[in-house]
Coordinates of all heavy atoms in Angstrom, one line a residue:
M1 N 11.6 -2.1 -5.7 CA 10.7 -1.0 -6.1 C 9.4 -1.0 -5.4 O 8.9 0.0 -5.0 CB 10.6 -1.0 -7.6 CG 9.6 0.1 -8.1 SD 9.9 1.7 -7.6 CE 11.0 2.3 -8.8
T2 N 8.8 -2.2 -5.2 CA 7.5 -2.2 -4.6 C 7.5 -1.7 -3.2 O 6.6 -1.0 -2.7 CB 6.9 -3.7 -4.6 OG1 6.8 -4.1 -6.0 CG2 5.5 -3.7 -4.0
A3 N 8.6 -1.9 -2.5 CA 8.8 -1.3 -1.1 C 8.8 0.2 -1.2 O 8.2 0.9 -0.3 CB 10.0 -1.8 -0.4
D4 N 9.5 0.8 -2.2 CA 9.5 2.2 -2.3 C 8.0 2.7 -2.6 O 7.6 3.8 -2.1 CB 10.4 2.7 -3.5 CG 11.9 2.4 -3.2 OD1 12.2 2.2 -2.0 OD2 12.6 2.3 -4.1
V5 N 7.4 2.0 -3.5 CA 6.0 2.4 -3.9 C 5.1 2.3 -2.6 O 4.3 3.2 -2.4 CB 5.4 1.5 -5.0 CG1 4.0 1.7 -5.2 CG2 6.2 1.7 -6.3
H6 N 5.3 1.3 -1.9 CA 4.5 1.1 -0.7 C 4.7 2.2 0.3 O 3.7 2.8 0.9 CB 4.8 -0.3 0.0 CG 3.9 -0.7 1.0 ND1 4.0 -0.3 2.3 CD2 2.8 -1.6 1.0 CE1 3.0 -0.8 3.0 NE2 2.3 -1.6 2.2
A7 N 5.9 2.6 0.6 CA 6.2 3.7 1.5 C 5.7 5.0 1.0 O 5.1 5.8 1.8 CB 7.7 3.8 1.7
W8 N 5.8 5.2 -0.3 CA 5.3 6.5 -0.9 C 3.8 6.5 -0.8 O 3.2 7.5 -0.4 CB 5.7 6.6 -2.4 CG 5.2 7.9 -3.0 CD1 5.8 9.1 -3.0 CD2 4.0 8.0 -3.7 NE1 5.0 10.0 -3.6 CE2 3.9 9.4 -4.1 CE3 2.9 7.2 -4.0 CZ2 2.8 9.9 -4.8 CZ3 1.8 7.7 -4.7 CH2 1.8 9.0 -5.1
L9 N 3.1 5.4 -1.1 CA 1.6 5.4 -1.0 C 1.2 5.6 0.4 O 0.2 6.3 0.7 CB 1.1 4.0 -1.5 CG 0.9 4.0 -3.0 CD1 0.6 2.5 -3.5 CD2 -0.3 4.8 -3.5
T10 N 1.8 4.9 1.3 CA 1.5 5.1 2.8 C 1.5 6.5 3.2 O 0.6 7.0 3.8 CB 2.3 4.2 3.6 OG1 2.2 2.8 3.2 CG2 1.9 4.3 5.1
D11 N 2.6 7.2 2.8 CA 2.8 8.6 3.2 C 1.7 9.5 2.5 O 1.2 10.4 3.1 CB 4.2 9.1 2.8 CG 5.3 8.6 3.7 OD1 5.0 8.2 4.8 OD2 6.5 8.7 3.3
R12 N 1.5 9.2 1.2 CA 0.5 10.0 0.5 C -0.9 9.8 1.0 O -1.6 10.8 1.2 CB 0.5 9.5 -1.0 CG -0.1 10.4 -2.0 CD 0.9 11.6 -2.3 NE 0.1 12.8 -2.3 CZ 0.4 13.9 -1.7 NH1 1.5 14.0 -1.0 NH2 -0.4 14.9 -1.7
V13 N -1.3 8.6 1.3 CA -2.6 8.3 1.8 C -2.7 9.0 3.2 O -3.8 9.6 3.5 CB -2.9 6.8 1.9 CG1 -4.2 6.5 2.7 CG2 -3.1 6.3 0.5
A14 N -1.7 8.8 4.0 CA -1.7 9.4 5.4 C -1.9 10.9 5.3 O -2.7 11.5 6.1 CB -0.4 9.1 6.1
T15 N -1.3 11.6 4.3 CA -1.4 13.0 4.2 C -2.9 13.4 3.9 O -3.5 14.3 4.5 CB -0.5 13.5 3.0 OG1 0.8 13.3 3.4 CG2 -0.7 15.0 2.8
Y16 N -3.5 12.7 2.9 CA -4.9 12.9 2.5 C -5.8 12.7 3.7 O -6.8 13.4 3.9 CB -5.3 12.1 1.3 CG -4.9 12.7 0.0 CD1 -3.9 12.1 -0.8 CD2 -5.4 13.9 -0.4 CE1 -3.5 12.7 -2.0 CE2 -5.0 14.5 -1.6 CZ -4.1 13.9 -2.4 OH -3.7 14.4 -3.6
L17 N -5.6 11.6 4.5 CA -6.5 11.3 5.6 C -6.1 12.0 6.9 O -6.8 11.8 7.9 CB -6.4 9.7 5.8 CG -6.9 8.9 4.6 CD1 -6.7 7.4 4.9 CD2 -8.4 9.2 4.3
R18 N -5.1 12.8 6.8 CA -4.7 13.6 8.0 C -4.4 12.7 9.2 O -4.8 12.9 10.3 CB -5.7 14.6 8.4 CG -5.8 15.7 7.3 CD -6.8 16.8 7.8 NE -6.8 17.9 6.8 CZ -7.8 18.0 5.9 NH1 -8.8 17.2 5.9 NH2 -7.8 19.0 5.0
R19 N -3.6 11.6 8.9 CA -3.1 10.7 9.9 C -1.6 10.5 9.7 O -1.1 10.9 8.7 CB -3.8 9.3 9.6 CG -5.3 9.3 9.8 CD -5.8 7.9 9.5 NE -7.2 7.8 9.8 CZ -7.7 7.2 10.9 NH1 -6.9 6.7 11.8 NH2 -9.0 7.2 11.1
S20 N -1.0 9.9 10.7 CA 0.4 9.6 10.6 C 0.5 8.3 9.8 O -0.3 7.4 10.0 CB 1.0 9.4 12.0 OG 0.6 8.2 12.6
P21 N 1.6 8.2 9.0 CA 1.8 6.9 8.3 C 1.8 5.7 9.2 O 1.3 4.6 8.9 CB 3.1 7.1 7.5 CG 3.2 8.6 7.5 CD 2.6 9.1 8.7
E22 N 2.4 5.9 10.4 CA 2.6 4.8 11.3 C 1.2 4.3 11.9 O 1.1 3.2 12.3 CB 3.5 5.2 12.5 CG 4.9 5.5 12.1 CD 5.0 6.9 11.5 OE1 4.2 7.8 11.8 OE2 6.0 7.2 10.8
G23 N 0.2 5.2 11.8 CA -1.1 4.9 12.3 C -2.0 4.2 11.3 O -3.2 3.9 11.7
L24 N -1.5 3.9 10.1 CA -2.3 3.3 9.1 C -2.0 1.8 9.0 O -0.8 1.4 9.0 CB -2.1 3.9 7.7 CG -2.5 5.3 7.5 CD1 -2.1 5.7 6.1 CD2 -4.0 5.4 7.7
D25 N -3.0 1.0 9.0 CA -2.9 -0.5 8.8 C -3.0 -0.6 7.3 O -4.1 -0.4 6.7 CB -3.9 -1.3 9.5 CG -3.8 -2.8 9.3 OD1 -3.2 -3.2 8.3 OD2 -4.4 -3.5 10.1
T26 N -1.9 -1.0 6.6 CA -2.0 -1.0 5.1 C -2.8 -2.1 4.5 O -2.9 -2.1 3.3 CB -0.5 -1.0 4.6 OG1 0.2 -2.1 5.0 CG2 0.2 0.3 5.0
S27 N -3.3 -3.0 5.4 CA -4.1 -4.1 4.9 C -5.6 -3.8 5.0 O -6.4 -4.5 4.6 CB -3.8 -5.4 5.6 OG -4.1 -5.3 7.0
V28 N -5.9 -2.6 5.6 CA -7.3 -2.2 5.9 C -7.8 -1.4 4.6 O -7.1 -0.6 4.1 CB -7.4 -1.3 7.1 CG1 -8.8 -0.7 7.3 CG2 -7.1 -2.2 8.4
P29 N -9.0 -1.7 4.2 CA -9.6 -1.0 3.0 C -9.6 0.5 3.3 O -9.9 1.0 4.4 CB -11.0 -1.5 2.9 CG -10.9 -2.9 3.4 CD -9.9 -2.8 4.6
L30 N -9.2 1.3 2.3 CA -9.1 2.8 2.5 C -10.4 3.4 2.8 O -10.5 4.4 3.6 CB -8.5 3.4 1.3 CG -7.0 3.0 1.0 CD1 -6.5 3.5 -0.3 CD2 -6.1 3.4 2.2
A31 N -11.5 2.8 2.3 CA -12.8 3.3 2.6 C -13.1 3.2 4.1 O -13.9 4.1 4.7 CB -13.9 2.5 1.8
D32 N -12.5 2.2 4.8 CA -12.7 2.1 6.3 C -12.1 3.3 7.0 O -12.5 3.6 8.1 CB -12.1 0.8 6.8 CG -12.9 -0.4 6.4 OD1 -13.9 -0.3 5.7 OD2 -12.5 -1.5 6.8
Y33 N -11.1 4.0 6.4 CA -10.5 5.2 6.9 C -11.3 6.4 6.5 O -10.8 7.5 6.8 CB -9.1 5.3 6.5 CG -8.2 4.3 7.3 CD1 -7.5 3.3 6.6 CD2 -7.9 4.5 8.6 CE1 -6.7 2.4 7.3 CE2 -7.1 3.6 9.3 CZ -6.5 2.6 8.6 OH -5.6 1.7 9.3
G34 N -12.3 6.3 5.7 CA -13.1 7.5 5.3 C -12.7 8.0 3.9 O -13.1 9.1 3.6
L35 N -11.9 7.2 3.1 CA -11.5 7.7 1.8 C -12.8 7.9 0.9 O -13.6 7.0 0.9 CB -10.6 6.6 1.1 CG -10.1 7.0 -0.2 CD1 -8.9 8.0 -0.1 CD2 -9.7 5.8 -1.0
D36 N -12.9 9.0 0.3 CA -14.0 9.3 -0.5 C -13.6 9.3 -2.0 O -12.4 9.2 -2.3 CB -14.7 10.6 -0.2 CG -13.8 11.8 -0.3 OD1 -12.9 11.8 -1.1 OD2 -14.1 12.8 0.4
S37 N -14.6 9.4 -2.9 CA -14.2 9.3 -4.3 C -13.3 10.4 -4.8 O -12.5 10.2 -5.7 CB -15.5 9.3 -5.2 OG -16.3 10.4 -5.0
L38 N -13.5 11.6 -4.3 CA -12.6 12.7 -4.7 C -11.1 12.5 -4.3 O -10.2 12.7 -5.1 CB -13.1 14.0 -4.2 CG -14.4 14.6 -4.8 CD1 -14.8 15.9 -4.1 CD2 -14.2 14.8 -6.3
T39 N -11.0 12.0 -3.1 CA -9.6 11.7 -2.6 C -9.0 10.5 -3.4 O -7.8 10.5 -3.7 CB -9.7 11.4 -1.1 OG1 -10.3 12.5 -0.4 CG2 -8.3 11.2 -0.6
A40 N -9.9 9.5 -3.7 CA -9.4 8.4 -4.5 C -8.9 8.8 -5.8 O -7.8 8.4 -6.3 CB -10.5 7.4 -4.6
L41 N -9.6 9.7 -6.5 CA -9.1 10.3 -7.8 C -7.9 11.1 -7.6 O -7.0 11.0 -8.5 CB -10.2 11.1 -8.4 CG -11.4 10.4 -9.0 CD1 -12.5 11.4 -9.4 CD2 -11.0 9.5 -10.2
A42 N -7.7 11.8 -6.5 CA -6.5 12.6 -6.3 C -5.3 11.7 -6.1 O -4.2 11.9 -6.6 CB -6.7 13.5 -5.1
I43 N -5.5 10.6 -5.4 CA -4.4 9.6 -5.2 C -4.1 9.0 -6.5 O -2.9 8.8 -6.8 CB -4.8 8.5 -4.1 CG1 -4.9 9.2 -2.8 CG2 -3.9 7.4 -4.1 CD1 -5.6 8.3 -1.7
T44 N -5.0 8.6 -7.3 CA -4.8 8.1 -8.6 C -3.9 9.1 -9.5 O -3.0 8.7 -10.1 CB -6.1 7.7 -9.4 OG1 -6.8 6.8 -8.6 CG2 -5.8 7.2 -10.7
A45 N -4.3 10.3 -9.5 CA -3.5 11.3 -10.2 C -2.1 11.5 -9.7 O -1.2 11.6 -10.4 CB -4.3 12.7 -10.2
D46 N -2.0 11.4 -8.4 CA -0.7 11.5 -7.7 C 0.2 10.3 -8.2 O 1.4 10.4 -8.4 CB -0.8 11.5 -6.2 CG -1.3 12.8 -5.7 OD1 -1.4 13.8 -6.5 OD2 -1.7 12.9 -4.5
I47 N -0.4 9.1 -8.2 CA 0.3 7.9 -8.7 C 0.8 8.1 -10.1 O 2.0 7.8 -10.4 CB -0.6 6.7 -8.6 CG1 -0.8 6.3 -7.1 CG2 0.0 5.5 -9.3 CD1 -1.9 5.3 -6.9
E48 N 0.0 8.6 -11.0 CA 0.4 8.8 -12.3 C 1.5 9.8 -12.4 O 2.5 9.6 -13.2 CB -0.8 9.3 -13.2 CG -1.8 8.2 -13.4 CD -3.0 8.7 -14.3 OE1 -3.3 9.9 -14.3 OE2 -3.6 7.8 -14.9
D49 N 1.4 10.9 -11.7 CA 2.5 11.9 -11.7 C 3.8 11.4 -11.1 O 4.9 11.7 -11.7 CB 2.0 13.2 -10.9 CG 0.9 13.9 -11.6 OD1 0.6 13.7 -12.8 OD2 0.2 14.8 -10.9
E50 N 3.7 10.8 -10.0 CA 4.9 10.3 -9.3 C 5.7 9.2 -10.0 O 6.9 9.2 -10.1 CB 4.5 9.8 -7.9 CG 5.7 9.3 -7.1 CD 6.7 10.4 -6.6 OE1 6.3 11.6 -6.6 OE2 7.8 10.1 -6.2
F51 N 4.9 8.3 -10.6 CA 5.6 7.1 -11.2 C 5.5 7.1 -12.7 O 6.0 6.1 -13.3 CB 5.0 5.8 -10.6 CG 5.1 5.7 -9.1 CD1 4.1 6.0 -8.2 CD2 6.4 5.4 -8.6 CE1 4.3 5.9 -6.9 CE2 6.6 5.4 -7.2 CZ 5.5 5.6 -6.3
D52 N 5.0 8.1 -13.3 CA 4.9 8.2 -14.8 C 4.3 7.0 -15.4 O 4.8 6.4 -16.3 CB 6.3 8.5 -15.3 CG 6.2 9.0 -16.8 OD1 5.3 9.6 -17.1 OD2 7.2 8.7 -17.5
V53 N 3.1 6.6 -14.9 CA 2.3 5.5 -15.4 C 0.9 6.0 -15.6 O 0.5 7.1 -15.1 CB 2.3 4.3 -14.4 CG1 3.7 3.7 -14.3 CG2 1.7 4.7 -13.1
T54 N 0.2 5.3 -16.4 CA -1.3 5.6 -16.6 C -2.1 4.5 -16.0 O -1.8 3.3 -16.2 CB -1.6 5.7 -18.1 OG1 -0.7 6.7 -18.7 CG2 -3.0 6.0 -18.4
V55 N -3.0 4.9 -15.1 CA -3.8 3.9 -14.4 C -5.3 4.3 -14.6 O -5.6 5.5 -14.8 CB -3.5 3.8 -13.0 CG1 -2.1 3.3 -12.8 CG2 -3.6 5.1 -12.2
D56 N -6.2 3.3 -14.4 CA -7.6 3.6 -14.5 C -8.1 4.4 -13.3 O -7.5 4.2 -12.2 CB -8.3 2.2 -14.5 CG -9.8 2.3 -14.7 OD1 -10.5 2.5 -13.7 OD2 -10.2 2.3 -15.9
D57 N -9.1 5.2 -13.5 CA -9.6 6.1 -12.4 C -10.1 5.2 -11.2 O -10.2 5.7 -10.1 CB -10.7 7.0 -12.9 CG -10.1 8.1 -13.8 OD1 -8.9 8.4 -13.7 OD2 -10.9 8.7 -14.5
A58 N -10.5 4.0 -11.5 CA -11.1 3.1 -10.5 C -10.0 2.3 -9.7 O -10.3 1.5 -8.9 CB -12.1 2.2 -11.1
L59 N -8.7 2.6 -9.9 CA -7.7 1.9 -9.3 C -7.8 1.7 -7.8 O -7.7 0.6 -7.3 CB -6.3 2.5 -9.6 CG -5.1 1.8 -9.1 CD1 -4.8 0.5 -9.9 CD2 -3.9 2.7 -9.1
T60 N -8.1 2.8 -7.1 CA -8.2 2.7 -5.7 C -9.4 1.9 -5.2 O -9.4 1.4 -4.1 CB -8.2 4.1 -5.0 OG1 -9.2 4.9 -5.6 CG2 -6.9 4.8 -5.2
W61 N -10.4 1.8 -6.0 CA -11.6 1.0 -5.7 C -11.4 -0.4 -6.0 O -11.9 -1.3 -5.3 CB -12.9 1.6 -6.3 CG -13.2 3.0 -5.9 CD1 -13.3 4.0 -6.7 CD2 -13.3 3.5 -4.6 NE1 -13.5 5.2 -6.0 CE2 -13.5 4.9 -4.7 CE3 -13.3 2.9 -3.3 CZ2 -13.7 5.7 -3.6 CZ3 -13.5 3.7 -2.2 CH2 -13.8 5.1 -2.3
D62 N -10.7 -0.7 -7.1 CA -10.4 -2.1 -7.5 C -9.4 -2.7 -6.7 O -9.3 -4.0 -6.5 CB -9.9 -2.1 -9.0 CG -11.0 -1.7 -10.0 OD1 -12.2 -1.7 -9.6 OD2 -10.6 -1.4 -11.1
H63 N -8.5 -1.9 -6.1 CA -7.4 -2.4 -5.2 C -7.5 -1.5 -3.9 O -6.7 -0.6 -3.8 CB -6.1 -2.3 -5.9 CG -6.1 -3.0 -7.2 ND1 -5.9 -4.3 -7.4 CD2 -6.2 -2.5 -8.5 CE1 -6.0 -4.6 -8.7 NE2 -6.2 -3.5 -9.3
P64 N -8.4 -1.9 -3.0 CA -8.8 -0.9 -2.0 C -7.9 -0.8 -0.8 O -8.2 0.0 0.1 CB -10.1 -1.5 -1.5 CG -10.1 -2.9 -1.8 CD -9.2 -3.1 -3.0
T65 N -6.7 -1.5 -0.7 CA -5.8 -1.3 0.4 C -4.5 -0.7 -0.1 O -4.2 -0.9 -1.3 CB -5.5 -2.6 1.1 OG1 -4.8 -3.5 0.2 CG2 -6.8 -3.3 1.6
I66 N -3.7 -0.2 0.8 CA -2.4 0.3 0.4 C -1.5 -0.9 -0.1 O -0.8 -0.8 -1.1 CB -1.7 1.0 1.5 CG1 -2.4 2.4 1.8 CG2 -0.2 1.3 1.2 CD1 -2.0 3.1 3.1
D67 N -1.7 -2.0 0.5 CA -0.9 -3.2 0.1 C -1.2 -3.6 -1.3 O -0.3 -3.9 -2.1 CB -1.2 -4.4 1.1 CG -0.6 -4.2 2.5 OD1 0.2 -3.3 2.7 OD2 -1.1 -4.9 3.4
A68 N -2.5 -3.6 -1.6 CA -2.9 -4.0 -3.0 C -2.5 -3.0 -4.0 O -2.1 -3.3 -5.1 CB -4.5 -4.3 -3.0
L69 N -2.7 -1.7 -3.7 CA -2.3 -0.7 -4.6 C -0.8 -0.7 -4.9 O -0.4 -0.6 -6.0 CB -2.6 0.7 -4.0 CG -4.0 1.2 -4.2 CD1 -4.2 2.5 -3.3 CD2 -4.4 1.5 -5.6
A70 N 0.0 -0.9 -3.8 CA 1.5 -0.9 -4.0 C 1.9 -2.0 -4.9 O 2.8 -1.9 -5.7 CB 2.1 -1.0 -2.6
E71 N 1.2 -3.2 -4.8 CA 1.6 -4.3 -5.6 C 1.3 -4.0 -7.1 O 2.2 -4.2 -7.9 CB 0.8 -5.6 -5.2 CG 1.2 -6.8 -6.0 CD 0.6 -8.1 -5.5 OE1 0.1 -8.1 -4.3 OE2 0.6 -9.0 -6.2
V72 N 0.1 -3.5 -7.3 CA -0.2 -3.2 -8.7 C 0.7 -2.1 -9.3 O 1.2 -2.2 -10.4 CB -1.7 -2.7 -8.8 CG1 -2.1 -2.2 -10.2 CG2 -2.6 -3.9 -8.5
V73 N 0.8 -1.0 -8.6 CA 1.6 0.1 -9.1 C 3.1 -0.3 -9.2 O 3.8 0.0 -10.2 CB 1.5 1.4 -8.1 CG1 2.5 2.5 -8.6 CG2 0.1 1.9 -8.2
G74 N 3.6 -1.1 -8.2 CA 5.0 -1.6 -8.3 C 5.2 -2.4 -9.6 O 6.2 -2.2 -10.3
N75 N 4.2 -3.2 -9.9 CA 4.3 -4.0 -11.1 C 4.3 -3.2 -12.4 O 5.0 -3.4 -13.3 CB 3.2 -5.1 -11.2 CG 3.4 -6.2 -10.2 OD1 4.5 -6.5 -9.8 ND2 2.3 -6.8 -9.8
L76 N 3.4 -2.2 -12.4 CA 3.4 -1.2 -13.5 C 4.7 -0.5 -13.7 O 5.2 -0.3 -14.8 CB 2.2 -0.2 -13.4 CG 0.8 -0.7 -13.5 CD1 -0.2 0.4 -13.1 CD2 0.6 -1.2 -14.9
V77 N 5.3 -0.1 -12.6 CA 6.5 0.7 -12.7 C 7.6 -0.2 -13.2 O 8.4 0.2 -14.1 CB 6.9 1.3 -11.3 CG1 8.3 1.8 -11.3 CG2 5.9 2.3 -10.9
E78 N 7.7 -1.5 -12.7 CA 8.7 -2.4 -13.2 C 8.5 -2.8 -14.7 O 9.5 -3.0 -15.3 CB 8.6 -3.7 -12.3 CG 9.2 -3.4 -10.9 CD 9.0 -4.6 -10.0 OE1 8.6 -5.7 -10.5 OE2 9.3 -4.5 -8.8
Q79 N 7.3 -2.8 -15.1 CA 7.1 -3.1 -16.5 C 7.3 -1.9 -17.4 O 7.3 -2.0 -18.6 CB 5.6 -3.6 -16.7 CG 5.3 -4.9 -16.1 CD 3.8 -5.2 -16.1 OE1 3.0 -4.5 -16.7 NE2 3.5 -6.3 -15.4
G80 N 7.4 -0.7 -16.8 CA 7.6 0.5 -17.6 C 6.3 1.0 -18.3 O 6.3 1.6 -19.3
A81 N 5.1 0.7 -17.6 CA 3.9 1.0 -18.2 C 3.5 2.5 -18.2 O 3.8 3.2 -17.3 CB 2.7 0.2 -17.6

């Protein structure tokens, strides 16, 4: 499941940042790509909608890379949170 979450997050972030998913280094902090607070909140809302989980609004700041986000969201999905 985490691989699916990772792929989905990579695509979603790429869309918001207007980049190709292949052009993103998933270990680089999203802020380094220019992610702002409004986009971070939008990604958080998308995560909740896509995976039917509830997450803190600060999720993207607490876990600032796609790799870190995918791990946390993947664990939430597996736990059924």
Side-chain angles (χ1 to χ4, degrees):
M1 172 53 86
T2 302
D4 294 338
V5 172
H6 193 277
W8 181 87
L9 276 170
T10 302
D11 286 342
R12 195 80 223 131
V13 169
T15 298
Y16 278 112
L17 296 177
R18 295 184 175 101
R19 295 176 174 260
S20 72
E22 300 79 22
L24 292 178
D25 180 341
T26 60
S27 67
V28 170
L30 296 174
D32 289 1
Y33 284 114
L35 183 80
D36 61 24
S37 58
L38 290 177
T39 306
L41 285 173
I43 291 169
T44 300
D46 290 348
I47 289 168
E48 290 182 333
D49 291 345
E50 179 71 18
F51 299 104
D52 196 29
V53 295
T54 302
V55 296
D56 187 271
D57 288 342
L59 181 71
T60 53
W61 300 121
D62 293 341
H63 308 281
T65 67
I66 292 171
D67 292 343
L69 278 172
E71 184 175 341
V72 170
V73 173
N75 288 336
L76 288 172
V77 170
E78 288 174 6
Q79 294 171 6

